[in-house]
Amino acid sequence: MKNKNRTYSIYLGIGAAIGLVLFLIVYGFRVLDFTNDTWLLTGKDLQQHYLGWKFFRQAPWSFPLGMHDSFTAPDSISVLYTDSIPLFALFFKLLSPVLPETFQYFGLFGLLCYILNGAMASLIVSHFNKSKVFCGISSVFFILSTPVLQRLFGVLSENSRHTSLAAHFLILGALAIWLFKDVFEDYRKDALAWAVLAALCVLIQMYIIFMVGGIMCGYLLDELISQKDWKRLLYDFSSFALSFCFFFFIIGGFTSLLASGGSGYGFFSANLNTFINPWRYSTFFNKMGMTDLQYEGFAYLGLGMIVLCGIACAAILVKAVSLFRKGQLRETLKVKKQRNFSFVVSLVVVVFVFMVLAFSNLVYIGHRIFIEVHWPTVIDNLLAVIRSSGRFIWCVMYIVMILGLYIITKMFNKKVQLAVVIFCVCLQLADLYTPIHRLQKQYYGEAKEEESLVQNDFWRISLGSYDKIAYFPTDGYDATQMLQIASKISKFENVKMSNFYLSRYMTKKVMRQKDKIIEKDFKQGTLDDRTLYILDYANAHKYKDMCYMYIVDNKILAVKNPIVGLEKYTDFLVGSLTPLVELDMSFAGLGKSFLHKGWNGQQLGDKGAWTTWESVVRIYSEDAKRAKITIEYQGGKKKGTTTVKMNGRRIGKINNKESGTVTFETKLKLCENIKKTKYINWLFFTSGDVKKASKAGEKDGKGVMIKKITLSYLPEENVSE
């Protein structure tokens, strides 16, 4: 047994060493600097994970151990729900008194992912190929798997930098237990292994527990069919479930504050072309058809692995033809079936279930729906827990890779095996050169914190004067706004927020309760002088006379006491009291709140919002029956005109290919109730030629970019007919 353990250690060490080297090649040394956190403040999920750790570190200890109230004050939430790798967060919080003021562990975690992914891959391959060189070279496919490159730190232009999801050693670890089941013959050892994996999933990345659990079910099915081993099923399943519940409770996972799932199942799926679709991760091939949200189901095998699998399939075909000609095919298959029946059946079941979950009820091939399944709402609600179901395809991807290497091992002699795997790894590295170079360019250099939405000195100087930031309504601002505001808050001690970008949304009931408390304070004039309220335009209009309001970086701030040096907020209802209303349509602009429908969702860029065929803006009037509307716009690529209408009445047109400013005069209806649609003025931008182009199959569905809309009050006596 000692010799076996020593042998396993050698294979683990080979893969780990290769993983370490490849990590340093891809990301360099800067990310390993514990005091360098700028690269973690560049937006999206990566910023969420780091801020989750930063606020958790500053908060006092409580029980359950992962809880703090910095993000959902006065309620507490677990560090689990910012995907801040609770295992590391807890460990380094214990060491916090001796750590430097600025400290990040995400670079270290990334390094460990590469090391452990490589170690587990090398060990798995050693199960059927004892060549240390073959195992080491093969581990490269797993270490540089495209989902890990996509997820670990990713690139700024992608919305998929979800660091803890790169812990694929958990998936590989579950597969290793299955393959090395003779090592885990003892029930206690087996149960302990699955309990440890469950604990690691909870303390690193909860989503992976569904994948590991699925592989465990396949393993137990294998044991049931082959050994009728119900005792093992009871031991393993119980230990896995109990370990999950215990650590989930200890870290604070059980909460009524957040919803258990979210909408999106069927959209965050895998495409049928996922294994051959490189997305943005190939030197030689362009992106194939897929929907925008199917980055969750990204599992490109890479050119080298595709070629290796092709060679493996060709070898099987040649072998089958040879056996058929000799009249031995049926007997050979019969022997193989008797020897491996339980394993093959169990593996097929696991692969089938994972594929069904990954492809979901909306099965896409390219841009088109291939199969659409309708099922009861109760099933939809259950599947909401795993709404990003495309991720399950990673398990299938690794099984395909292992099978490919297994077939190469069984079909060729040692020299050919090695030649094939070396050739295919070279192809793989060449294919991944471009995405790896993109990562090197980003992480080798100096990073800059993303703070485009919080540039005013107020956030840097005056924010620390408050104890709490309260969003009203609770869900009134988007994730990017909250991330950048939280980044500024984190520079001050003991400032808390009523909401933050979490991995699960607050329940509607909780948000309503929070909003009622704040609304009561506004109505009764009992605002807290140590709270900074951040409002949406509707509440700003409703309570504009109840407090002091300011506009800072297109965010509406409300406070009990006046603030010197800030621009006072001007109401958005045009009229005699607010004769000039500006709706800025840029990414940070408040004007985006008034977009209704028909805008190009992927093109709400930094400068403005792109129209599609028929795009609508909401306009409100207090006492203005007439107004002058000035539209600043940027031309697009489509020839034609965009017709401008107000409440169905044409007021002018815009040349699609020109940029500039146009002014129209229009009638308005008065707003008697801001929540009633009949009191809203509807401003239409209709780009007919864009619709024609879309029908003709063109992908670019943009008309013109609307940058700013200015409403000027016109007294009735000055209106020219």
Side-chain angles (χ1 to χ4, degrees):
M1 188 64 184
K2 286 184 178 179
N3 289 335
K4 266 193 172 183
N5 289 337
R6 186 173 179 276
T7 303
Y8 294 150
S9 298
I10 291 172
Y11 289 116
L12 288 167
I14 290 169
I18 294 172
L20 186 150
V21 171
L22 288 176
F23 178 87
L24 295 177
I25 290 173
V26 176
Y27 300 102
F29 290 90
R30 285 182 181 272
V31 296
L32 295 174
D33 180 354
F34 293 115
T35 61
N36 175 20
D37 67 349
T38 312
W39 63 281
L40 292 162
L41 296 171
T42 50
K44 304 294 173 78
D45 289 338
L46 206 58
Q47 189 167 4
Q48 176 208 37
H49 310 333
Y50 175 59
L51 291 174
W53 147 247
K54 198 172 180 182
F55 279 90
F56 176 63
R57 178 188 179 183
Q58 294 172 356
W61 284 100
S62 62
F63 189 84
L65 297 177
M67 303 296 279
H68 66 102
D69 64 351
S70 299
F71 290 148
T72 53
D75 305 294
S76 292
I77 200 68
S78 173
V79 69
L80 175 77
Y81 294 108
T82 51
D83 292 315
S84 302
I85 314 167
L87 179 65
F88 280 60
L90 288 170
F91 177 75
F92 286 110
K93 184 168 181 172
L94 284 170
L95 300 179
S96 188
V98 298
L99 296 178
E101 183 179 351
T102 298
F103 181 85
Q104 62 85 13
Y105 50 71
F106 294 91
L108 174 63
F109 175 78
L111 176 63
L112 288 176
C113 280
Y114 268 59
I115 289 173
L116 294 174
N117 290 353
M120 295 310 304
S122 178
L123 180 66
I124 286 172
V125 176
S126 76
H127 181 67
F128 50 80
N129 193 313
K130 303 305 178 185
S131 167
K132 296 178 180 63
V133 177
F134 186 92
C135 292
I137 294 173
S138 297
S139 68
V140 173
F141 290 114
F142 299 83
I143 296 165
L144 296 179
S145 72
T146 52
V148 171
L149 289 174
Q150 171 206 15
R151 290 292 181 174
L152 183 60
F153 301 140
V155 294
L156 290 176
S157 59
E158 292 175 8
N159 189 29
S160 57
R161 301 191 299 158
H162 205 139
T163 303
S164 58
L165 280 173
H168 287 195
F169 58 87
L170 298 171
I171 301 171
L172 296 173
L175 290 170
I177 294 174
W178 191 353
L179 291 174
F180 289 91
K181 59 183 179 181
D182 56 318
V183 178
F184 297 95
E185 191 173 353
D186 182 89
Y187 290 116
R188 290 170 298 180
K189 193 174 183 180
D190 194 26
L192 178 62
W194 290 111
V196 169
L197 269 183
L200 289 174
C201 287
V202 172
L203 297 175
I204 293 175
Q205 173 48 245
M206 260 297 299
Y207 201 97
I208 294 178
I209 202 167
F210 299 107
M211 305 178 197
V212 170
I215 294 169
M216 182 188 71
C217 289
Y219 163 75
L220 293 175
L221 179 61
D222 183 8
E223 290 296 288
L224 275 178
I225 295 173
S226 61
Q227 307 294 332
K228 303 294 187 293
D229 197 345
W230 289 96
K231 185 178 178 182
R232 188 175 298 278
L233 185 149
L234 179 64
Y235 270 59
D236 288 357
F237 195 83
S238 298
S239 64
F240 189 83
L242 288 172
S243 177
F244 159 72
C245 291
F246 175 77
F247 285 99
F248 197 61
F249 169 71
I250 287 295
I251 202 64
F254 293 105
T255 177
S256 60
L257 191 67
L258 305 179
S260 59
S263 60
Y265 183 82
F267 297 100
F268 295 97
S269 61
N271 201 291
L272 284 176
N273 64 23
T274 185
F275 293 137
I276 59 173
N277 184 354
W279 193 30
R280 302 167 184 167
Y281 286 79
S282 173
T283 301
F284 306 117
F285 305 109
N286 295 323
K287 172 183 174 182
M288 299 172 69
M290 60 186 285
T291 68
D292 294 322
L293 300 179
Q294 287 183 327
Y295 66 83
E296 290 286 7
F298 174 61
Y300 176 53
L301 289 170
L303 178 59
M305 181 49 69
I306 291 171
V307 170
L308 186 143
C309 289
I311 294 172
C313 289
I316 289 177
L317 184 61
V318 170
K319 183 72 172 178
V321 170
S322 175
L323 290 171
F324 178 77
R325 286 176 176 173
K326 295 176 183 178
Q328 300 173 353
L329 181 60
R330 181 176 295 181
E331 186 62 28
T332 301
L333 290 175
K334 185 178 179 181
V335 172
K336 294 285 186 185
K337 177 183 175 182
Q338 290 175 345
R339 188 183 303 167
N340 302 304
F341 177 75
S342 63
F343 175 76
V344 171
V345 168
S346 303
L347 188 65
V348 168
V349 169
V350 168
V351 168
F352 176 76
V353 171
F354 281 153
M355 289 179 71
V356 168
L357 291 172
F359 295 132
S360 78
N361 61 315
L362 299 174
V363 183
Y364 280 85
I365 181 165
H367 290 294
R368 296 181 180 275
I369 294 180
F370 181 62
I371 300 172
E372 184 174 1
V373 179
H374 298 277
W375 47 41
T377 304
V378 64
I379 296 178
D380 214 31
N381 292 336
L382 285 172
L383 291 171
V385 178
I386 54 166
R387 68 171 191 149
S388 300
S389 63
R391 298 170 185 173
F392 285 95
I393 205 67
W394 300 339
C395 302
V396 182
M397 178 191 73
Y398 286 125
I399 290 170
V400 168
M401 291 164 68
I402 293 167
L403 283 174
L405 292 165
Y406 171 78
I407 294 167
I408 294 297
T409 297
K410 296 302 178 183
M411 292 296 176
F412 302 108
N413 62 47
K414 290 184 179 180
K415 287 185 178 179
V416 176
Q417 294 169 19
L418 199 56
V420 169
V421 79
I422 289 173
F423 172 71
C424 290
V425 163
C426 289
L427 276 181
Q428 191 85 346
L429 292 173
D431 192 32
L432 295 177
Y433 170 77
T434 297
I436 287 175
H437 181 64
R438 192 166 64 233
L439 291 168
Q440 288 173 329
K441 188 177 179 181
Q442 180 172 311
Y443 290 103
Y444 277 33
E446 289 283 354
K448 184 179 179 182
E449 179 180 347
E450 176 54 60
E451 50 185 1
S452 59
L453 309 182
V454 287
Q455 296 180 343
N456 194 289
D457 285 342
F458 170 82
W459 308 107
R460 183 173 54 84
I461 299 171
S462 304
L463 199 58
S465 302
Y466 299 92
D467 296 332
K468 181 181 175 183
I469 309 299
Y471 290 98
F472 183 42
T474 302
D475 60 347
Y477 280 79
D478 62 26
T480 306
Q481 300 267 13
M482 287 193 287
L483 282 172
Q484 292 193 22
I485 292 171
S487 181
K488 294 303 178 186
I489 293 172
S490 71
K491 294 175 172 48
F492 302 97
E493 289 188 9
N494 302 319
V495 183
K496 300 175 181 179
M497 290 160 279
S498 66
N499 194 15
F500 183 66
Y501 172 42
L502 302 169
S503 61
R504 287 288 183 268
Y505 297 113
M506 284 188 197
T507 65
K508 292 182 179 179
K509 180 180 178 181
V510 169
M511 287 193 286
R512 283 196 298 267
Q513 289 172 345
K514 283 177 173 283
D515 290 344
K516 282 182 180 179
I517 292 171
I518 296 177
E519 186 174 33
K520 184 178 178 181
D521 289 337
F522 270 98
K523 286 181 176 179
Q524 296 181 354
T526 56
L527 297 182
D528 179 21
D529 58 3
R530 298 285 295 175
T531 297
L532 176 71
Y533 301 88
I534 303 182
L535 280 56
D536 69 349
Y537 67 89
N539 283 309
H541 168 71
K542 191 173 182 179
Y543 300 109
K544 62 182 183 293
D545 299 322
M546 306 295 290
C547 59
Y548 296 94
M549 286 190 189
Y550 304 93
I551 184 78
V552 178
D553 291 326
N554 282 302
K555 281 165 273 293
I556 307 169
L557 309 185
V559 288
K560 183 176 181 179
N561 301 315
I563 304 175
V564 178
L566 293 185
E567 177 187 351
K568 290 185 178 180
Y569 172 69
T570 303
D571 195 24
F572 65 92
L573 272 75
V574 64
S576 56
L577 298 178
T578 51
L580 188 69
V581 174
E582 293 185 344
L583 303 180
D584 179 5
M585 298 299 176
S586 67
F587 177 73
L590 200 60
K592 279 204 313 177
S593 302
F594 300 91
L595 299 181
H596 182 57
K597 66 175 184 177
W599 299 88
N600 192 320
Q602 301 303 311
Q603 299 295 333
L604 296 179
D606 291 338
K607 296 179 181 179
W610 286 96
T611 64
T612 55
W613 172 56
E614 191 169 77
S615 306
V616 188
V617 183
R618 297 190 301 272
I619 301 294
Y620 296 86
S621 168
E622 187 162 37
D623 60 3
K625 294 182 179 179
R626 298 292 298 266
K628 181 168 65 176
I629 298 182
T630 302
I631 302 167
E632 183 182 340
Y633 66 96
Q634 178 180 313
K637 296 180 180 179
K638 292 288 178 293
K639 182 180 178 181
T641 59
T642 294
T643 303
V644 184
K645 296 180 181 179
M646 177 65 78
N647 298 329
R649 177 175 174 268
R650 176 173 167 170
I651 58 175
K653 62 182 181 179
I654 295 173
N655 188 320
N656 283 3
K657 298 195 74 174
E658 293 181 359
S659 300
T661 302
V662 292
T663 300
F664 310 113
E665 291 185 6
T666 182
K667 292 180 179 180
L668 298 176
K669 52 187 176 183
L670 305 184
C671 179
E672 297 178 22
N673 187 326
I674 196 171
K675 294 184 178 180
K676 298 281 186 178
T677 57
K678 70 177 182 178
Y679 300 122
I680 299 174
N681 295 281
W682 303 102
L683 178 62
F684 284 81
F685 295 91
T686 306
S687 303
D689 292 87
V690 172
K691 186 178 183 181
K692 292 177 186 176
S694 180
K695 281 186 174 181
E698 295 185 32
K699 295 179 182 179
D700 188 0
K702 298 184 294 185
V704 292
M705 178 196 282
I706 306 302
K707 300 169 74 172
K708 182 186 287 187
I709 298 173
T710 303
L711 310 172
S712 302
Y713 170 67
L714 290 177
E716 289 188 79
E717 61 271 24
N718 293 337
V719 173
S720 57
E721 294 295 337

